[in-house]
Amino acid sequence: MLRIYVDFNTMMTDPEERVYINAPLHDGLAAKLRPGRTVLLWSEDLEVQAVIEYDEDHGDWLARPDWSTSQDLPYDPDSIHAGARKRVS
Amino acid sequence: MGEAHEQEFRWVVRSGVATPRQLQEGTRQHSAVPNLYGFSVQYEVGVPIEELVEAGQFPHPRISVTMEPQLIAAARAAGYSIRVVKSPGRGFHCTVEVPYPLSDDLAVALSTTFVHCANPALVRRS
């Protein structure tokens, strides 16, 4: 299953509580996304399966979580000092 | 005395651990506000942390907390100007408006202002 790192805080701006997938930030990610595809959304301490949707009005890829599949992940304090993701210019 | 009191009620909270990577991942144009780029937080002057967390209905087992003046100061120290603006969303939703895309150095500067703790109002969705 495709694992996608996300910021779940983006749910706060979606009336349907879908999670924003930051495809522009990740080369090649958009090509892997299909409406209806099940993926695994994850962040430092949480993961959940979700179904991909495409918002044509805004041109955004979103994911609708299935919260019955959510799992808390072990919290590793050292991970917060891992720094920002490295960009390839 | 008055200034210190005011600063006590300028809490900024996010669900999960606010790593630099998280902040970069969440930085985007607000879907309802053209040209507003930033990441989501719960913030309102005078509102305590617990109320902000409840309003956010956070799903993570941990939350991240900082203060608006600290965010502003950290950005300034890194050579950037940012602001926290009210924007459409759940509860006391605001956008921390940052240059887009969020640079590595600014992401690190902002991330280091947050402290992390257990989520006192974890919302388990079904």
Side-chain angles (χ1 to χ4, degrees):
Chain A
M1 186 180 299
L2 179 64
R3 296 180 78 242
I4 303 176
Y5 182 80
V6 296
D7 174 10
F8 286 97
N9 287 274
T10 58
M11 290 168 50
M12 291 193 281
T13 61
D14 185 80
E16 299 178 55
E17 292 199 330
R18 295 169 298 180
V19 180
Y20 175 73
I21 297 176
N22 201 334
L25 199 63
H26 303 283
D27 294 336
L29 177 56
K32 300 177 182 178
L33 302 177
R34 298 283 186 275
R37 180 174 184 176
T38 297
V39 298
L40 184 68
L41 306 180
W42 71 280
S43 65
E44 283 70 10
D45 59 346
L46 179 69
E47 66 176 23
V48 64
Q49 293 183 24
V51 177
I52 298 294
E53 298 183 5
Y54 185 70
D55 178 356
E56 293 189 1
D57 290 341
H58 299 95
D60 291 338
W61 288 101
L62 303 170
R64 186 181 299 272
D66 174 3
W67 290 106
S68 70
T69 68
S70 69
Q71 298 273 354
D72 293 344
L73 299 177
Y75 172 55
D76 178 6
D78 291 338
S79 70
I80 71 174
H81 301 301
R85 63 181 294 277
K86 298 302 180 183
R87 296 183 184 278
V88 178
S89 59
Chain B
M1 182 74 155
E3 182 178 347
H5 176 76
E6 182 179 272
Q7 287 189 347
E8 291 177 359
F9 294 98
R10 289 185 176 271
W11 299 109
V12 174
V13 297
R14 280 178 51 90
S15 190
V17 183
T19 61
R21 185 181 183 186
Q22 266 288 287
L23 301 183
Q24 289 179 310
E25 197 69 36
T27 295
R28 55 152 179 163
Q29 181 174 227
H30 194 290
S31 58
V33 184
N35 298 315
L36 176 59
Y37 291 87
F39 55 87
S40 291
V41 296
Q42 291 285 317
Y43 169 73
E44 178 80 24
V45 176
V47 177
I49 294 173
E50 294 78 9
E51 192 171 340
L52 293 171
V53 175
E54 288 181 9
Q57 298 185 32
F58 295 155
H60 289 83
R62 304 196 71 79
I63 61 169
S64 299
V65 182
T66 186
M67 294 183 185
E68 184 250 11
Q70 290 183 328
L71 281 176
I72 303 291
R76 185 180 303 119
Y80 297 89
S81 176
I82 68 169
R83 57 178 184 152
V84 183
V85 299
K86 186 68 176 173
S87 57
R90 183 192 310 138
F92 302 101
H93 185 271
C94 289
T95 297
V96 178
E97 188 178 25
V98 296
Y100 180 79
L102 178 57
S103 64
D104 294 351
D105 58 341
L106 181 54
V108 170
L110 297 177
S111 171
T112 56
T113 71
F114 286 90
V115 294
H116 314 94
C117 60
N119 182 348
L122 176 58
V123 174
R124 295 286 190 189
R125 293 163 172 80
S126 58

